[in-house]
């Protein structure tokens, strides 16, 4: 807000490699930039390296080669705890703490950041409204919620301390199709208002086309292409075409 | 004279022996908790220590109890009094279930939950106190329960080295070939074990995350 519109990428991968201790290479020479306020979708099959890429950003995994920059600063120079608290993290519903109520789950980061209690309470109410959760659910435990409600709690928790960056790892993957579409729509509306920098992992092409401002297609640990949804559906690249075929031709109409 | 008459006649002494027994078990279990739980946590953080620590606790468990009392006899200060000796031996026996359950309890917490916590910027200490320990608590209490029940039984043998407790009656009855005297020690001991099992079982259920 203090500087003029900033076109510097928020997240940069520079020739990044990730290899397991046993020598297996999960990520090969990844170079990728995520712009401020965009939703970059990492699309690919299981084992293509998309979740690995995501976890390298908040340093749950540590790159074995190359360099990753967040806000122009190398991860090597970040205090890891600070870094992670400026990045919201949403994973499939399992990530909620089962022994915390909805309210405490959402309040997690503000609480460890030692916000005053009144401010935390206010923020929790605000967030529950933002993601469409009834205020009466605040004292429930995650097991007492539906899958869709749990996922909303997950999003609210990630947004709690208003982080500029959101990482989402197949957040809607475990939901039934109707709830998934509902949450996808709400995500779009939310993102229109909040303009976070989002990195979103999915294997679902429809989801990628609907939510992404750009789609990074990954295959066997390598980045294949980075395209806008529109470029994607008209692309003649063999891999892209294979995806379009697998998901049916009606997508072309849907996106344009 | 039947058993009930014997118990009624000697109820003050039996009660005293029961209290003494309880004291041996309570103090040794407390020590075992204070040592075993931190050790269990430590080996989740330092995997290299896992095998040596669990191995040592396992080896202690395989030493026959009478032999362990005997081994410890020459120890300075501890060996000077029978109750210190008994408490040390009972503590050592109680370590394995506590270390093991603390370790498996923490390791058993859903990795996705721990990773979510770490990804959101919880420090290692916050992760331990707010996530791992609360979610492992049921399994840890189960360890305390096993340790306590084992201790109640083992503490009867402490009478052999003169540490008192309900074992006094059992050993005396064996020497006198008198079933009533044996039972006067064995029945309260069994009741103590049951009581410990039921109450800690209740606690375990209450504190387990549902």
């Amino acid at each position: 807000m203090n500087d003029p519109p900033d076109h510097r990428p928020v997240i940069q991968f520079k020739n990044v490699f990730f290899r397991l201790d046993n020598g297996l290479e999960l990520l090969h020479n990844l170079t990728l930039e995520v712009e401020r306020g965009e939703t970059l979708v990492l699309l690919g099959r299981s084992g293509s390296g998309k979740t690995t890429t995501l976890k390298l950003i908040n340093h749950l995994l540590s790159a074995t080669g190359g360099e990753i920059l967040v806000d122009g600063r190398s991860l090597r120079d970040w205090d890891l705890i600070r870094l992670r608290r400026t990045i919201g993290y949403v994973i499939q519903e399992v990530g909620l703490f089962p022994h915390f109520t909805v309210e405490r789950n959402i309040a997690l980061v503000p609480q460890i950041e030692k916000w005053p209690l009144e401010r935390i309470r206010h923020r929790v109410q605000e967030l529950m409204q933002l993601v469409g959760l009834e205020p009466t659910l605040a004292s429930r435990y995650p097991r007492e919620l539906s899958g869709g409600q749990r996922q909303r709690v997950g999003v609210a928790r990630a947004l709690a301390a208003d982080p500029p960056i959101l990482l989402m790892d197949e957040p809607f993957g475990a939901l039934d199709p109707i709830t998934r579409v509902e949450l996808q729509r709400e995500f779009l509306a939310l993102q229109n208002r909040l303009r976070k920098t989002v990195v979103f992992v999915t294997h679902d092409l429809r989801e990628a086309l609907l939510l992404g401002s750009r789609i990074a297609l990954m295959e066997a640990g390598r980045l294949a292409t980075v395209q806008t949804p529109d470029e994607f559906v008209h692309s003649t690249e063999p891999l892209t075409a294979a995806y379009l075929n697998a998901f049916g031709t009606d997508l072309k109409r849907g996106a344009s | 004279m039947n058993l009930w008459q014997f118990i009624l006649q000697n109820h003050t002494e039996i009660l005293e022996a029961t209290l003494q027994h309880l004291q041996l078990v309570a103090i040794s279990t407390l020590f075992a908790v204070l040592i075993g739980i931190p050790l269990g946590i430590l080996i989740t953080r330092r995997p290299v220590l896992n095998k040596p620590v669990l191995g040592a606790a396992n080896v202690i468990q395989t030493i026959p109890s009478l032999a362990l009392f005997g081994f410890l006899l020459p120890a300075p200060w501890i060996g000077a009094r029978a109750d210190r000796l008994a408490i040390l031996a009972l503590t050592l026996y109680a370590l394995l279930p506590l270390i093991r359950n603390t370790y498996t309890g923490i390791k058993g917490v859903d990795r996705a939950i721990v990773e979510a916590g770490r990804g959101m910027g919880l420090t290692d200490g916050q992760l331990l106190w707010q996530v791992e320990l609360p979610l492992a608590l049921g399994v840890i209490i189960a360890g305390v329960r096993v340790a306590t029940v084992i201790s109640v039984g083992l503490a009867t043998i402490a009478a052999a080295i003169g540490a008192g407790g309900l074992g006094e009656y059992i050993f005396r009855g064996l020497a006198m070939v008198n079933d009533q005297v044996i039972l006067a020690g064995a029945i309260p001991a069994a009741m103590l074990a049951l009581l410990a099992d039921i109450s800690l079982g209740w606690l375990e259920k209450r504190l387990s995350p549902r």
Side-chain angles (χ1 to χ4, degrees), chain A residues 55 58 60 81 84-85 87 89 91 94-100 104 108-109 111-112 143 157, chain B residues 110 112-124 126-127 130-132 134-135 209-210:
Chain A
K55 285 181 178 172
N58 61 2
L60 285 174
I81 299 296
R84 289 171 181 161
R85 289 185 194 170
I87 300 178
Y89 188 40
I91 56 180
V94 278
L96 292 181
F97 295 167
H99 59 305
F100 278 17
R104 278 193 73 193
L108 184 73
V109 176
Q111 175 233 323
I112 57 180
R143 67 176 177 282
R157 180 174 73 168
Chain B
D110 191 337
I113 292 173
V114 175
E115 199 163 72
R118 184 165 287 135
M120 311 215 1
L122 263 61
T123 61
D124 197 49
Q126 287 164 338
L127 211 53
Q130 300 198 23
V131 182
E132 293 177 300
L135 291 175
R210 285 143 297 172

Side-chain angles (χ1 to χ4, degrees), chain A residues 6-81:
Chain A
D6 186 354
H7 296 294
R8 197 180 51 179
V10 179
I11 302 165
Q12 282 172 281
F13 285 82
K14 291 184 175 170
N15 307 99
V16 172
F17 289 78
F18 181 74
R19 207 171 277 116
L20 293 176
D21 290 337
N22 63 18
L24 190 67
E25 195 176 68
L26 297 186
L27 209 59
H28 183 87
N29 200 13
L30 176 74
T31 296
L32 179 68
E33 294 186 344
V34 186
E35 307 293 334
R36 189 170 305 275
E38 79 166 331
T39 302
L40 181 92
V41 173
L42 295 171
L43 177 69
R45 302 194 247 194
S46 310
S48 60
K50 51 195 194 308
T51 293
T52 303
T53 304
L54 198 75
K55 285 181 178 172
L56 286 169
I57 300 172
N58 61 2
H59 210 265
L60 285 174
L61 296 175
S62 181
T64 47
E67 194 178 27
I68 301 166
L69 294 94
V70 172
D71 261 335
R73 252 162 85 196
S74 166
L75 284 197
R76 279 186 283 266
D77 303 329
W78 271 93
D79 166 26
L80 280 188
I81 299 296

